[in-house]
Amino acid sequence: MRVDQIFAEARTAGTQPVSFEMFPPKGELTLERAREVAGGFAPLAPDFVSVTYSAGGSGNSAATAQIAQMINSEFNISSVAHLTCISLTRETLAEKIIELMDAGIENVLALRGDLPAGMSEAEAEDIAFPYAKDLVPALVDAGFCVGGAAYPEGHLTCDDLPTSVKHLRQKQDAGASFFVTQLFFDNEYFYRFRELADAAGITVPITAGIMPFTSKQQITRMVFTCAASLPAPVIKILARYEDDPASLREAGIEYACRQLEDLAAHGAEGLHVYTMNRADVASAAMQALRR
């Protein structure tokens, strides 16, 4: 099913779609292992599962299409294939569109991706698709339901939050019909962002992305790669369980569950869980939301 239809039906029913992310890190998630992960997700009945290129936004895109197809065809779960544009030419985009269509993919999350090694921001302006908004129209014209990324604390390369919201509006105007946010650890950032998006005329659904943290190494990496702020409660958890990895993991998942509950209570249009391919993490999130 198309994601815009999922949100429309949820709006009519007064519910909030809950979705998961699966990632093939550097293309190393085999189809068989992905099938095991999807099998763990299936009993939880997520509204859709998104499949990334890789943890850094590049990698084996063929695996992305194959995994998204498998999730849809074998588990009857709607899937969203990520597609990064920074390295695409018009010819390779046409090939990707055919690949996705042949796999029966209906939904694509259009992303910029990391700049290739040695390429500057100035040089990126001269490529075929320098930004995600430039990729959206071609995907919409091909018949896909297209989503985009949203950044509650602003994009890593953009210090001005209103400018990030302006860029979000440009993606909507280009044809994006839903957004998924970058992870965040303080819901107030999302609520502030939602107000700015409303004021900017963003009318398509914005689903809030939450990543349960399970180790100090993981959260440190996320802070630097995603520019997510650490609120005092998270810092206290890290300090309290610095020498107790099992308790830190439990506390991190619990913290994320409280975030999800609060977002649901405050009317977030959708909830997206960065599962790290862990069914137990996804299950904890679902249990929290079904209390």
Side-chain angles (χ1 to χ4, degrees):
M1 180 183 291
R2 289 170 58 97
V3 170
D4 51 5
Q5 292 177 285
I6 291 172
F7 277 105
E9 291 183 5
R11 190 179 303 112
T12 299
T15 59
Q16 297 152 311
V18 180
S19 53
F20 302 153
E21 180 181 276
M22 181 189 297
F23 68 92
K26 299 180 182 178
E28 295 168 1
L29 184 69
T30 66
L31 189 61
E32 187 55 41
R33 174 57 186 144
R35 186 174 284 111
E36 294 176 8
V37 175
F41 289 167
L44 304 172
D47 290 280
F48 62 88
V49 172
S50 71
V51 184
T52 72
Y53 259 26
S54 74
S58 60
N60 187 351
S61 60
T64 299
Q66 293 168 3
I67 292 170
Q69 179 185 41
M70 176 271 295
I71 291 169
N72 192 13
S73 63
E74 297 185 24
F75 295 95
N76 197 30
I77 300 172
S78 297
S79 60
V80 178
H82 290 210
L83 181 64
T84 58
C85 67
I86 197 69
S87 297
L88 290 177
T89 64
R90 299 195 181 280
E91 291 74 19
T92 55
L93 173 60
E95 293 171 0
K96 292 295 179 187
I97 286 174
I98 292 172
E99 175 187 311
L100 292 166
M101 294 177 69
D102 286 348
I105 305 301
E106 294 183 283
N107 308 293
V108 178
L109 193 71
L111 302 164
R112 187 189 194 198
D114 299 331
L115 291 180
M119 179 182 288
S120 68
E121 287 287 344
E123 291 170 330
E125 295 287 346
D126 296 327
I127 64 176
F129 305 100
Y131 300 104
K133 67 180 177 64
D134 302 313
L135 179 62
V136 172
L139 295 172
V140 172
D141 288 346
F144 296 107
C145 172
V146 183
Y151 302 90
E153 297 184 63
H155 191 275
L156 183 65
T157 62
C158 180
D159 294 330
D160 182 59
L161 184 58
T163 299
S164 282
V165 174
K166 179 182 176 181
H167 294 161
L168 194 70
R169 174 61 190 265
Q170 291 172 349
K171 295 178 191 178
Q172 176 181 278
D173 292 346
S177 55
F178 70 97
F179 294 115
V180 179
T181 78
Q182 180 65 272
L183 63 92
F184 54 91
F185 299 106
D186 185 340
N187 288 0
E188 290 304 316
Y189 283 112
F190 177 80
Y191 300 138
R192 180 186 63 174
F193 174 77
R194 179 71 258 192
E195 290 179 359
L196 290 172
D198 289 342
I202 306 297
T203 58
V204 303
I206 300 177
T207 189
I210 297 298
M211 176 177 279
F213 58 92
T214 58
S215 71
K216 186 174 182 179
Q217 180 183 17
Q218 175 213 12
I219 199 169
T220 301
R221 183 173 66 252
M222 290 303 101
V223 166
F224 282 99
T225 59
C226 303
S229 300
L230 287 185
V234 173
I235 294 173
K236 290 178 180 179
I237 290 172
L238 293 173
R240 184 178 304 128
Y241 300 116
E242 183 174 7
D243 299 319
D244 186 351
S247 295
L248 174 58
R249 186 179 190 281
E250 181 180 352
I253 293 173
E254 178 68 15
Y255 182 89
C257 288
R258 301 293 79 76
Q259 277 191 277
L260 290 165
E261 289 176 339
D262 182 74
L263 289 162
H266 284 81
E269 293 164 290
L271 301 165
H272 188 70
V273 184
Y274 294 101
T275 66
M276 300 161 289
N277 297 344
R278 297 296 300 267
D280 60 331
V281 170
S283 178
M286 280 300 200
Q287 289 178 18
L289 293 169
R290 290 171 176 168
R291 288 175 183 171

